[in-house]
Amino acid sequence: MGTTQLESVPEPKYWHLKTVLSEALDRDFAVGEVLPNERELAARFGVARATLRQALEQLELEGRLQRRRGVGTTVAPPRVGVAVGSTQHGWPGESIDGWDPVDAAEAVPGAAVLRLLGTAAGEPVLAVRRTRIEQGQVLAAEMLYVPAASVPGLSGIDAPAGPARARAVMRELQRLALDGQDRSVELGSARADDAKELDRLPGAPVLLVTTRYFTAAGTAAVSVATYRADTCRLTFGDSGDVQITHDARVAS
């Protein structure tokens, strides 16, 4: 990576630096290679470290770089295409959907999930945790929130914890007649528990895919899946038009 002093440019300096760095990644670095430290990079390009960090953060958001614990900043591999929609909708776990059940336990969802479920605070809700693995790498972590009222037969099943409990919750859910589902995708930041699961730093960019499952009685379950934004490219089947909405409320 040669020394390049940045001159006056019409675009923000960090954005121009991002372009220069991107070209250098293609030319001088291999996938998985560790970049020089921030001090060295800032000196090579004649920029402040704050400007350099902005450029590196943008490249990470675009999937060109990865920050890894105990390693540093490395060149990211090409993104993996992950299908998240199709013309055949079904309950989670109903077919081979690429997710592995981990556990199921009672949970206290945040206000945003409670609004989607239409349940009041304090009503019992089960949370099924699953992970999605592609090419030997954990790409996503999911929390499937199921009100206890949706799975009344679960109390008679002897599966106290672990993957067996998770599968039991999904089997009971599949006994209901699914009327439909809706899905939304947004950019977010990894929370501590998801970051650990995905081997990312807390606050790293992620894609949040939220799915609501409906029966005749209303919302039966809500899934919140957290995908690594640096390695995932979400693909959708031809199941309908993309709807763009604006919600001024801040999700909690």
Side-chain angles (χ1 to χ4, degrees):
M1 186 181 289
T3 300
T4 305
Q5 297 294 322
L6 299 181
E7 304 296 339
S8 242
V9 288
E11 59 197 357
K13 184 173 285 190
Y14 84 89
W15 193 263
H16 181 63
L17 175 59
K18 179 201 75 117
T19 302
V20 173
L21 285 170
S22 182
E23 292 172 353
L25 293 178
D26 292 333
R27 182 181 62 247
D28 303 327
F29 287 83
V31 170
E33 189 170 349
V34 181
L35 266 63
N37 61 44
E38 287 186 2
R39 186 185 301 277
E40 182 179 344
L41 285 175
R44 287 188 183 187
F45 290 95
V47 297
R49 292 178 69 176
T51 301
L52 175 68
R53 288 194 190 101
Q54 284 182 293
L56 294 177
E57 287 171 359
Q58 186 64 37
L59 287 170
E60 182 185 13
L61 184 62
E62 294 177 4
R64 298 302 314 276
L65 298 176
Q66 294 179 350
R67 289 184 297 167
R68 300 171 59 190
R69 292 185 182 90
V71 176
T73 302
T74 63
V75 181
R79 282 179 165 146
V80 177
V82 182
V84 295
S86 68
T87 54
Q88 300 297 319
H89 296 306
W91 291 111
E94 199 167 51
S95 58
I96 300 175
D97 58 6
W99 291 93
D100 295 324
V102 176
D103 200 1
E106 284 200 14
V108 180
V113 172
L114 285 176
R115 285 197 298 269
L116 292 175
L117 288 172
T119 58
E123 291 186 29
V125 175
L126 294 162
V128 176
R129 189 162 190 86
R130 302 195 298 167
T131 58
R132 185 160 184 170
I133 300 175
E134 299 279 349
Q135 301 178 7
Q137 181 183 32
V138 177
L139 296 184
E142 179 199 51
M143 292 294 285
L144 175 67
Y145 297 97
V146 184
S150 294
V151 288
L154 190 66
S155 58
I157 296 175
D158 185 19
R165 179 73 169 177
R167 284 191 288 267
V169 174
M170 289 187 291
R171 281 197 302 270
E172 289 301 306
L173 195 59
Q174 291 160 17
R175 295 179 186 274
L176 304 176
L178 180 64
D179 275 7
Q181 60 183 250
D182 63 24
R183 181 177 289 112
S184 65
V185 183
E186 61 185 318
L187 182 66
S189 300
R191 297 184 179 183
D193 54 345
D194 290 324
K196 183 177 180 181
E197 189 98 52
L198 299 174
D199 191 27
R200 304 293 290 131
L201 296 173
V206 292
L207 296 169
L208 299 174
V209 180
T210 302
T211 307
R212 289 192 298 175
Y213 298 89
F214 301 102
T215 67
T219 303
V222 168
S223 160
V224 180
T226 304
Y227 288 82
R228 289 182 55 156
D230 61 326
T231 57
C232 291
R233 174 173 49 84
L234 303 186
T235 62
F236 295 82
D238 52 353
S239 54
D241 296 332
V242 176
Q243 295 184 347
I244 301 175
T245 60
H246 173 72
D247 189 347
R249 297 175 299 179
V250 177
S252 58

